[in-house]
Each structure stands twice: as C-alpha cells, then as structure tokens.
Amino acid sequence: MSSDNNAKAYWSETLKLLTVVLAIWAVVSYGAGILFAGALNSIKLGGYPLGFWFAHQGSIYIFIALIFWYSVRMGKIDRKHGMQED
C-alpha cells in the first residue's frame, strides 16, 4: 500500500510541476508576445521594442530556461520518491 501512495504522490508532484511549466510557457508566448506587446513596446531593448523582442527572441530564451529548470526539478522529484534512473 505504501508503494501505491508513493506512486500517487509522485504523479501528483509531477502534474503540479508540469502545470506550472505550461502556465509559464503560455504566459510568455501568448502574453508577452501578443497580449502585452503594446505595453512592452514602450521599452526598447537593443533598439527594438520589447514586445517585438519577446515575440521573436525572448520567448525562445525563456523556453530553454524552462527546459533546464524542469529537468532539475524533475530530478529532485524522482530522487524524493525513489524513481531516479541509475
């Protein structure tokens, strides 16, 4: 029974992490690139409006950072529940 509880806790933490990653991804890609572009365009980065920069470059950097952050957090969750790969 303990194994079943551990599997449920592992799955629950994994889904929470995935939800956070997907929410950040949606806010950055849709929000910064489209919804908030007008407000962000008043700020310049390298001579370009920040909304334009996020739509074309910034979101890519955020996505790469999310991949690494997800990997580290998932490794911690794996070790916590004894699911790590050796």
Coordinates of all heavy atoms in Angstrom, one line a residue:
M1 N 0.8 -1.2 0.0 CA 0.0 0.0 0.0 C 0.9 1.3 0.0 O 0.5 2.2 -0.6 CB -0.9 0.0 1.2 CG -2.0 1.0 1.2 SD -3.1 0.7 -0.2 CE -4.4 1.7 0.2
S2 N 2.0 1.2 0.7 CA 2.9 2.3 0.7 C 3.4 2.7 -0.7 O 3.6 3.8 -1.0 CB 4.1 2.1 1.7 OG 5.0 3.1 1.6
S3 N 3.7 1.6 -1.5 CA 4.1 1.8 -2.8 C 3.1 2.6 -3.7 O 3.4 3.4 -4.5 CB 4.5 0.5 -3.5 OG 4.8 0.7 -4.8
D4 N 1.8 2.2 -3.4 CA 0.7 2.9 -4.2 C 0.6 4.4 -3.8 O 0.4 5.2 -4.6 CB -0.6 2.1 -3.9 CG -1.7 2.6 -4.8 OD1 -1.5 2.9 -6.0 OD2 -2.9 2.8 -4.2
N5 N 0.8 4.6 -2.5 CA 0.7 6.0 -2.0 C 1.9 6.8 -2.6 O 1.8 8.0 -2.9 CB 0.7 6.1 -0.5 CG -0.6 5.7 0.1 OD1 -1.6 5.7 -0.6 ND2 -0.6 5.3 1.4
N6 N 3.1 6.2 -2.6 CA 4.3 6.8 -3.2 C 4.1 7.1 -4.7 O 4.4 8.2 -5.1 CB 5.5 6.0 -3.0 CG 6.8 6.7 -3.4 OD1 7.0 7.8 -3.1 ND2 7.6 6.0 -4.1
A7 N 3.5 6.2 -5.4 CA 3.2 6.5 -6.8 C 2.2 7.6 -7.0 O 2.4 8.4 -7.9 CB 2.7 5.2 -7.5
K8 N 1.2 7.7 -6.2 CA 0.2 8.8 -6.3 C 0.9 10.1 -6.0 O 0.6 11.1 -6.6 CB -1.0 8.5 -5.4 CG -1.9 7.4 -5.9 CD -3.1 7.2 -5.0 CE -3.9 6.0 -5.5 NZ -5.1 5.8 -4.6
A9 N 1.7 10.1 -4.9 CA 2.4 11.4 -4.6 C 3.3 11.8 -5.7 O 3.4 13.0 -6.0 CB 3.1 11.2 -3.2
Y10 N 4.0 10.9 -6.2 CA 5.0 11.1 -7.3 C 4.2 11.7 -8.5 O 4.6 12.8 -9.1 CB 5.7 9.9 -7.7 CG 6.6 10.0 -9.0 CD1 7.8 10.6 -8.9 CD2 6.2 9.5 -10.2 CE1 8.6 10.8 -10.0 CE2 7.0 9.6 -11.3 CZ 8.2 10.3 -11.2 OH 9.0 10.4 -12.3
W11 N 3.1 11.1 -8.9 CA 2.3 11.6 -10.0 C 1.7 13.0 -9.8 O 1.7 13.8 -10.6 CB 1.2 10.6 -10.4 CG 0.5 10.9 -11.6 CD1 -0.8 11.1 -11.7 CD2 1.0 11.0 -12.9 NE1 -1.2 11.4 -13.0 CE2 -0.1 11.3 -13.8 CE3 2.3 10.9 -13.5 CZ2 0.1 11.6 -15.1 CZ3 2.4 11.1 -14.8 CH2 1.3 11.4 -15.6
S12 N 1.3 13.2 -8.5 CA 0.7 14.5 -8.2 C 1.8 15.6 -8.3 O 1.5 16.7 -8.8 CB 0.2 14.4 -6.7 OG -0.3 15.6 -6.3
E13 N 3.0 15.4 -7.7 CA 4.0 16.4 -7.9 C 4.4 16.6 -9.3 O 4.7 17.7 -9.7 CB 5.2 15.9 -7.0 CG 5.0 16.2 -5.5 CD 6.3 16.0 -4.8 OE1 7.3 16.7 -5.1 OE2 6.4 15.2 -3.8
T14 N 4.5 15.5 -10.1 CA 4.8 15.7 -11.5 C 3.8 16.5 -12.2 O 4.2 17.4 -13.0 CB 5.0 14.3 -12.1 OG1 6.0 13.5 -11.4 CG2 5.3 14.3 -13.6
L15 N 2.5 16.3 -12.0 CA 1.5 17.1 -12.6 C 1.5 18.5 -12.2 O 1.3 19.4 -13.0 CB 0.1 16.4 -12.4 CG -0.2 15.1 -13.1 CD1 -1.6 14.6 -12.7 CD2 -0.1 15.4 -14.6
K16 N 1.8 18.8 -10.9 CA 1.9 20.2 -10.5 C 3.0 20.9 -11.2 O 2.9 22.0 -11.6 CB 2.1 20.2 -9.0 CG 0.9 19.9 -8.2 CD 1.2 19.9 -6.7 CE 0.0 19.4 -5.9 NZ 0.3 19.3 -4.4
L17 N 4.2 20.2 -11.3 CA 5.3 20.8 -12.0 C 5.0 21.1 -13.5 O 5.3 22.2 -14.0 CB 6.6 19.9 -11.9 CG 7.8 20.4 -12.6 CD1 8.3 21.8 -12.1 CD2 8.9 19.4 -12.5
L18 N 4.4 20.1 -14.1 CA 4.0 20.3 -15.5 C 3.0 21.4 -15.7 O 3.1 22.2 -16.7 CB 3.4 19.0 -16.0 CG 3.1 18.9 -17.5 CD1 4.4 19.1 -18.3 CD2 2.5 17.5 -17.8
T19 N 2.1 21.5 -14.8 CA 1.1 22.6 -14.9 C 1.8 24.0 -14.8 O 1.5 24.9 -15.5 CB 0.0 22.5 -13.8 OG1 -0.6 21.2 -13.9 CG2 -1.0 23.6 -13.8
V20 N 2.7 24.1 -13.8 CA 3.5 25.4 -13.7 C 4.3 25.7 -14.9 O 4.3 26.8 -15.4 CB 4.4 25.3 -12.4 CG1 5.4 26.5 -12.4 CG2 3.6 25.3 -11.2
V21 N 5.0 24.7 -15.5 CA 5.8 24.9 -16.7 C 4.9 25.3 -17.9 O 5.2 26.3 -18.6 CB 6.6 23.6 -17.0 CG1 7.2 23.7 -18.4 CG2 7.7 23.4 -16.0
L22 N 3.8 24.7 -18.0 CA 2.9 25.0 -19.1 C 2.2 26.4 -19.0 O 2.0 27.1 -19.9 CB 1.8 23.9 -19.3 CG 2.3 22.6 -19.9 CD1 1.1 21.6 -19.9 CD2 2.8 22.8 -21.3
A23 N 1.9 26.8 -17.7 CA 1.4 28.1 -17.5 C 2.4 29.2 -17.8 O 2.1 30.2 -18.4 CB 0.9 28.2 -16.0
I24 N 3.6 29.0 -17.4 CA 4.7 30.0 -17.7 C 4.9 30.0 -19.2 O 5.0 31.1 -19.8 CB 6.0 29.6 -17.0 CG1 5.9 29.8 -15.5 CG2 7.2 30.5 -17.5 CD1 7.0 29.2 -14.7
W25 N 4.9 28.9 -19.8 CA 5.1 28.8 -21.3 C 3.9 29.6 -22.0 O 4.2 30.4 -22.9 CB 5.1 27.4 -21.7 CG 5.2 27.1 -23.2 CD1 6.1 27.5 -24.0 CD2 4.2 26.4 -24.0 NE1 5.9 27.1 -25.3 CE2 4.7 26.4 -25.3 CE3 3.0 25.8 -23.7 CZ2 4.0 25.8 -26.3 CZ3 2.3 25.2 -24.7 CH2 2.8 25.2 -26.0
A26 N 2.7 29.4 -21.6 CA 1.6 30.1 -22.2 C 1.6 31.6 -21.9 O 1.4 32.4 -22.9 CB 0.3 29.6 -21.6
V27 N 1.9 32.0 -20.7 CA 2.0 33.5 -20.4 C 3.1 34.1 -21.2 O 2.9 35.2 -21.8 CB 2.2 33.7 -18.9 CG1 2.6 35.1 -18.6 CG2 1.0 33.3 -18.1
V28 N 4.3 33.5 -21.3 CA 5.4 34.1 -22.0 C 5.1 34.2 -23.5 O 5.3 35.2 -24.2 CB 6.7 33.4 -21.7 CG1 7.8 33.8 -22.7 CG2 7.1 33.6 -20.3
S29 N 4.7 33.1 -24.1 CA 4.5 33.0 -25.5 C 3.3 33.8 -26.0 O 3.4 34.6 -26.9 CB 4.3 31.6 -26.0 OG 3.2 31.0 -25.5
Y30 N 2.1 33.7 -25.3 CA 0.9 34.4 -25.7 C 0.8 35.7 -25.1 O 0.5 36.7 -25.8 CB -0.3 33.5 -25.4 CG -1.6 34.1 -25.9 CD1 -1.9 34.0 -27.3 CD2 -2.5 34.6 -25.0 CE1 -3.1 34.5 -27.8 CE2 -3.7 35.1 -25.5 CZ -4.0 35.1 -26.9 OH -5.2 35.6 -27.4
G31 N 1.1 35.8 -23.8 CA 1.0 37.1 -23.1 C 2.0 38.1 -23.5 O 1.7 39.2 -24.0
A32 N 3.3 37.8 -23.4 CA 4.3 38.8 -23.7 C 4.4 39.1 -25.2 O 4.7 40.2 -25.6 CB 5.7 38.3 -23.2
G33 N 4.2 38.1 -26.0 CA 4.3 38.3 -27.5 C 3.1 38.9 -28.1 O 3.2 39.6 -29.2
I34 N 1.9 38.8 -27.5 CA 0.7 39.2 -28.2 C -0.1 40.2 -27.2 O -0.4 41.3 -27.6 CB -0.2 38.0 -28.6 CG1 0.5 37.2 -29.6 CG2 -1.5 38.5 -29.2 CD1 -0.2 35.9 -29.9
L35 N -0.6 39.7 -26.1 CA -1.5 40.5 -25.2 C -0.8 41.7 -24.7 O -1.4 42.8 -24.6 CB -2.0 39.6 -24.1 CG -2.9 38.4 -24.5 CD1 -3.3 37.7 -23.2 CD2 -4.1 39.0 -25.2
F36 N 0.4 41.6 -24.2 CA 1.1 42.7 -23.5 C 2.1 43.4 -24.4 O 2.9 44.2 -24.0 CB 1.8 42.2 -22.3 CG 0.9 41.5 -21.3 CD1 1.2 40.2 -21.0 CD2 -0.2 42.0 -20.8 CE1 0.4 39.4 -20.1 CE2 -1.1 41.3 -20.0 CZ -0.7 40.0 -19.6
A37 N 2.1 43.1 -25.7 CA 3.0 43.7 -26.7 C 2.9 45.2 -26.7 O 4.0 45.9 -26.8 CB 2.8 43.1 -28.1
G38 N 1.7 45.7 -26.7 CA 1.6 47.2 -26.7 C 2.2 47.9 -25.6 O 3.0 48.9 -25.7
A39 N 2.0 47.3 -24.4 CA 2.7 47.9 -23.2 C 4.2 47.7 -23.2 O 4.9 48.6 -22.8 CB 2.0 47.3 -21.9
L40 N 4.6 46.5 -23.6 CA 6.0 46.2 -23.6 C 6.8 47.0 -24.7 O 8.0 47.3 -24.6 CB 6.3 44.7 -23.8 CG 5.9 43.8 -22.7 CD1 6.0 42.4 -23.1 CD2 6.7 44.1 -21.4
N41 N 6.1 47.4 -25.7 CA 6.7 48.1 -26.8 C 7.2 49.5 -26.5 O 8.1 50.1 -27.2 CB 5.8 48.3 -28.1 CG 5.8 47.0 -28.8 OD1 6.6 46.1 -28.7 ND2 4.7 46.8 -29.6
S42 N 6.8 50.1 -25.3 CA 7.3 51.3 -24.9 C 8.7 51.2 -24.3 O 9.4 52.2 -24.1 CB 6.4 51.9 -23.8 OG 6.3 51.1 -22.7
I43 N 9.2 50.0 -24.1 CA 10.5 49.7 -23.6 C 11.3 49.2 -24.8 O 10.9 48.4 -25.5 CB 10.5 48.7 -22.4 CG1 9.6 49.1 -21.3 CG2 11.9 48.4 -22.0 CD1 9.3 48.1 -20.3
K44 N 12.5 49.8 -24.9 CA 13.4 49.4 -26.0 C 14.5 48.4 -25.5 O 15.1 48.7 -24.4 CB 14.1 50.6 -26.7 CG 13.1 51.6 -27.2 CD 12.5 51.1 -28.5 CE 11.7 52.2 -29.1 NZ 10.8 51.8 -30.1
L45 N 14.9 47.4 -26.3 CA 15.9 46.5 -25.9 C 16.8 46.3 -27.2 O 16.3 45.8 -28.2 CB 15.4 45.2 -25.4 CG 16.4 44.1 -25.1 CD1 17.2 44.6 -23.8 CD2 15.8 42.8 -24.8
G46 N 18.0 46.8 -27.2 CA 18.8 46.8 -28.4 C 18.3 47.5 -29.5 O 18.5 47.2 -30.7
G47 N 17.5 48.6 -29.2 CA 16.9 49.4 -30.3 C 15.6 48.9 -30.8 O 15.0 49.5 -31.7
Y48 N 15.1 47.8 -30.3 CA 13.9 47.2 -30.8 C 12.8 47.2 -29.6 O 13.2 47.1 -28.5 CB 14.0 45.7 -31.2 CG 14.9 45.6 -32.4 CD1 16.3 45.3 -32.3 CD2 14.5 45.8 -33.7 CE1 17.1 45.1 -33.4 CE2 15.3 45.7 -34.8 CZ 16.6 45.3 -34.6 OH 17.4 45.2 -35.7
P49 N 11.6 47.4 -30.0 CA 10.5 47.4 -28.9 C 10.5 46.0 -28.2 O 10.7 44.9 -28.8 CB 9.2 47.5 -29.7 CG 9.6 48.1 -31.0 CD 11.0 47.6 -31.3
L50 N 10.4 46.0 -26.9 CA 10.5 44.8 -26.1 C 9.4 43.8 -26.4 O 9.6 42.6 -26.4 CB 10.4 45.2 -24.6 CG 10.7 44.1 -23.6 CD1 12.1 43.5 -23.8 CD2 10.5 44.5 -22.2
G51 N 8.2 44.2 -26.8 CA 7.1 43.3 -27.2 C 7.5 42.5 -28.5 O 7.3 41.3 -28.6
F52 N 8.2 43.2 -29.4 CA 8.7 42.6 -30.6 C 9.8 41.6 -30.3 O 9.8 40.5 -30.8 CB 9.2 43.6 -31.6 CG 9.9 43.1 -32.8 CD1 9.2 42.7 -33.9 CD2 11.3 43.0 -32.9 CE1 9.8 42.1 -35.0 CE2 11.9 42.5 -34.0 CZ 11.2 42.1 -35.1
W53 N 10.7 42.0 -29.4 CA 11.8 41.2 -29.0 C 11.3 39.9 -28.3 O 11.8 38.8 -28.6 CB 12.7 41.9 -28.0 CG 14.0 41.2 -27.7 CD1 15.1 41.1 -28.4 CD2 14.2 40.4 -26.6 NE1 16.0 40.3 -27.8 CE2 15.5 39.8 -26.7 CE3 13.4 40.0 -25.5 CZ2 16.0 39.0 -25.7 CZ3 13.9 39.2 -24.5 CH2 15.2 38.7 -24.7
F54 N 10.3 40.0 -27.4 CA 9.8 38.8 -26.8 C 9.1 37.9 -27.8 O 9.2 36.7 -27.7 CB 8.8 39.2 -25.7 CG 9.3 39.1 -24.3 CD1 9.6 40.3 -23.6 CD2 9.6 37.9 -23.7 CE1 10.1 40.2 -22.3 CE2 10.1 37.8 -22.4 CZ 10.4 39.0 -21.7
A55 N 8.4 38.4 -28.7 CA 7.7 37.6 -29.7 C 8.7 36.8 -30.6 O 8.4 35.7 -31.0 CB 6.8 38.5 -30.6
H56 N 9.9 37.4 -30.8 CA 10.8 36.8 -31.7 C 12.0 36.1 -31.1 O 12.5 35.1 -31.6 CB 11.3 37.8 -32.7 CG 10.2 38.2 -33.6 ND1 9.7 37.5 -34.7 CD2 9.3 39.3 -33.5 CE1 8.7 38.1 -35.3 NE2 8.4 39.2 -34.6
Q57 N 12.5 36.6 -29.9 CA 13.7 36.1 -29.3 C 13.5 35.7 -27.9 O 13.9 34.6 -27.5 CB 14.8 37.1 -29.4 CG 15.2 37.5 -30.8 CD 15.8 36.4 -31.6 OE1 16.5 35.5 -31.0 NE2 15.6 36.3 -32.9
G58 N 12.9 36.6 -27.1 CA 12.8 36.4 -25.7 C 12.1 35.1 -25.3 O 12.5 34.4 -24.3
S59 N 11.0 34.8 -26.0 CA 10.3 33.6 -25.6 C 11.1 32.3 -25.8 O 11.0 31.4 -25.0 CB 9.0 33.5 -26.4 OG 9.2 33.5 -27.8
I60 N 12.0 32.3 -26.8 CA 12.9 31.2 -27.0 C 13.8 31.0 -25.8 O 14.1 29.9 -25.4 CB 13.7 31.4 -28.3 CG1 12.7 31.3 -29.5 CG2 14.7 30.3 -28.5 CD1 13.3 31.7 -30.8
Y61 N 14.4 32.1 -25.3 CA 15.3 32.0 -24.2 C 14.6 31.5 -22.9 O 15.1 30.7 -22.2 CB 16.0 33.4 -23.9 CG 16.9 33.9 -25.0 CD1 16.8 35.2 -25.5 CD2 17.8 33.0 -25.6 CE1 17.6 35.6 -26.5 CE2 18.6 33.5 -26.6 CZ 18.5 34.8 -27.0 OH 19.4 35.2 -28.0
I62 N 13.3 32.0 -22.8 CA 12.5 31.6 -21.6 C 12.3 30.1 -21.7 O 12.3 29.3 -20.8 CB 11.2 32.4 -21.5 CG1 11.5 33.8 -21.3 CG2 10.3 31.8 -20.4 CD1 12.2 34.2 -20.0
F63 N 11.9 29.6 -22.9 CA 11.6 28.2 -23.1 C 12.9 27.3 -22.8 O 12.7 26.2 -22.2 CB 11.2 27.9 -24.6 CG 9.9 28.6 -24.9 CD1 9.6 28.9 -26.3 CD2 9.0 29.0 -24.0 CE1 8.5 29.6 -26.6 CE2 7.8 29.7 -24.3 CZ 7.6 30.0 -25.7
I64 N 14.0 27.7 -23.3 CA 15.2 27.0 -23.0 C 15.5 26.9 -21.5 O 15.8 25.9 -20.9 CB 16.4 27.6 -23.7 CG1 16.3 27.3 -25.2 CG2 17.8 27.0 -23.2 CD1 17.2 28.0 -26.1
A65 N 15.3 28.1 -20.8 CA 15.5 28.1 -19.3 C 14.5 27.2 -18.7 O 14.8 26.5 -17.7 CB 15.3 29.5 -18.8
L66 N 13.2 27.1 -19.2 CA 12.2 26.3 -18.6 C 12.6 24.8 -18.8 O 12.3 24.0 -17.9 CB 10.9 26.5 -19.3 CG 10.0 27.6 -18.8 CD1 8.7 27.7 -19.6 CD2 9.6 27.3 -17.3
I67 N 13.2 24.4 -19.9 CA 13.6 23.1 -20.1 C 14.6 22.6 -19.0 O 14.5 21.6 -18.4 CB 14.2 22.9 -21.5 CG1 13.1 23.0 -22.5 CG2 15.0 21.5 -21.6 CD1 13.7 23.1 -24.0
F68 N 15.6 23.5 -18.8 CA 16.6 23.2 -17.7 C 16.0 23.2 -16.3 O 16.4 22.3 -15.5 CB 17.8 24.1 -17.8 CG 18.7 23.9 -19.0 CD1 18.7 24.7 -20.1 CD2 19.5 22.8 -19.0 CE1 19.5 24.4 -21.2 CE2 20.3 22.5 -20.1 CZ 20.3 23.3 -21.2
W69 N 15.2 24.1 -16.0 CA 14.5 24.2 -14.7 C 13.7 23.0 -14.5 O 13.7 22.4 -13.4 CB 13.7 25.5 -14.6 CG 13.1 25.6 -13.3 CD1 13.7 25.9 -12.1 CD2 11.7 25.5 -13.0 NE1 12.7 26.0 -11.1 CE2 11.5 25.7 -11.6 CE3 10.6 25.2 -13.8 CZ2 10.2 25.7 -11.0 CZ3 9.3 25.2 -13.2 CH2 9.2 25.4 -11.8
Y70 N 12.9 22.6 -15.5 CA 12.1 21.4 -15.4 C 12.9 20.1 -15.2 O 12.6 19.3 -14.3 CB 11.2 21.2 -16.7 CG 10.5 19.9 -16.7 CD1 9.2 19.8 -16.1 CD2 10.9 18.8 -17.4 CE1 8.5 18.6 -16.1 CE2 10.2 17.6 -17.4 CZ 9.0 17.5 -16.8 OH 8.3 16.4 -16.8
S71 N 14.0 20.0 -15.9 CA 14.9 18.9 -15.7 C 15.5 18.8 -14.3 O 15.5 17.7 -13.7 CB 16.1 19.0 -16.7 OG 17.0 18.0 -16.5
V72 N 15.9 19.9 -13.7 CA 16.4 19.9 -12.4 C 15.3 19.6 -11.4 O 15.5 18.7 -10.5 CB 17.1 21.3 -12.0 CG1 17.4 21.4 -10.6 CG2 18.3 21.5 -12.9
R73 N 14.2 20.2 -11.5 CA 13.1 19.9 -10.6 C 12.6 18.5 -10.7 O 12.3 17.9 -9.7 CB 11.9 20.9 -10.8 CG 12.2 22.3 -10.5 CD 12.2 22.6 -9.0 NE 11.0 22.2 -8.4 CZ 10.9 21.6 -7.2 NH1 11.9 21.4 -6.5 NH2 9.7 21.3 -6.7
M74 N 12.5 18.0 -11.9 CA 12.0 16.6 -12.1 C 13.0 15.6 -11.5 O 12.6 14.6 -10.9 CB 11.8 16.3 -13.6 CG 10.9 15.2 -13.9 SD 9.3 15.4 -13.2 CE 9.0 13.7 -12.7
G75 N 14.3 15.9 -11.6 CA 15.3 15.1 -11.0 C 15.2 15.0 -9.4 O 15.3 14.0 -8.8
K76 N 14.8 16.2 -8.8 CA 14.6 16.2 -7.4 C 13.4 15.4 -7.0 O 13.4 14.7 -6.0 CB 14.5 17.7 -6.9 CG 15.8 18.4 -6.9 CD 15.5 19.9 -6.5 CE 16.8 20.6 -6.6 NZ 16.7 22.1 -6.2
I77 N 12.3 15.5 -7.8 CA 11.1 14.8 -7.5 C 11.4 13.3 -7.7 O 10.9 12.5 -6.9 CB 10.0 15.2 -8.5 CG1 9.5 16.6 -8.1 CG2 8.8 14.3 -8.4 CD1 8.5 17.3 -9.1
D78 N 12.1 12.9 -8.7 CA 12.5 11.5 -8.9 C 13.2 10.9 -7.7 O 12.9 9.8 -7.2 CB 13.3 11.3 -10.2 CG 12.5 11.4 -11.5 OD1 11.3 11.4 -11.4 OD2 13.2 11.6 -12.5
R79 N 14.2 11.7 -7.3 CA 15.0 11.2 -6.1 C 14.2 11.1 -4.9 O 14.4 10.2 -4.1 CB 16.3 12.1 -5.9 CG 17.4 11.8 -7.0 CD 18.6 12.6 -6.6 NE 18.5 14.0 -6.7 CZ 18.5 14.8 -7.8 NH1 18.6 14.2 -9.0 NH2 18.3 16.1 -7.7
K80 N 13.3 12.1 -4.6 CA 12.5 12.1 -3.4 C 11.6 10.9 -3.4 O 11.4 10.4 -2.3 CB 11.6 13.4 -3.5 CG 10.7 13.5 -2.3 CD 9.9 14.8 -2.4 CE 8.8 14.9 -1.3 NZ 8.0 16.1 -1.5
H81 N 11.1 10.4 -4.5 CA 10.2 9.3 -4.5 C 10.9 8.0 -4.9 O 10.2 7.0 -5.1 CB 9.0 9.6 -5.4 CG 8.2 10.7 -4.9 ND1 7.3 10.5 -3.9 CD2 8.1 12.0 -5.2 CE1 6.7 11.7 -3.6 NE2 7.2 12.6 -4.4
G82 N 12.2 8.0 -5.1 CA 12.9 6.7 -5.4 C 12.7 6.3 -6.8 O 12.7 5.1 -7.1
M83 N 12.4 7.2 -7.7 CA 12.1 6.8 -9.1 C 13.3 7.2 -10.1 O 13.1 7.1 -11.3 CB 10.9 7.6 -9.6 CG 9.7 7.4 -8.8 SD 9.0 5.8 -9.1 CE 7.4 5.9 -8.3
Q84 N 14.4 7.6 -9.5 CA 15.5 8.0 -10.4 C 16.1 6.9 -11.2 O 16.0 5.7 -10.8 CB 16.7 8.7 -9.5 CG 17.5 7.7 -8.7 CD 16.9 7.4 -7.4 OE1 15.8 7.7 -7.0 NE2 17.7 6.7 -6.5
E85 N 16.7 7.3 -12.3 CA 17.4 6.3 -13.2 C 18.8 6.3 -12.8 O 19.4 7.3 -12.6 CB 17.2 6.7 -14.7 CG 15.8 6.7 -15.1 CD 15.7 7.1 -16.6 OE1 16.7 7.2 -17.3 OE2 14.5 7.3 -17.0
D86 N 19.4 5.1 -12.8 CA 20.8 5.0 -12.4 C 21.7 4.8 -13.6 O 21.4 4.5 -14.7 CB 21.0 3.8 -11.5 CG 20.4 4.1 -10.1 OD1 20.4 5.2 -9.7 OD2 19.9 3.1 -9.5

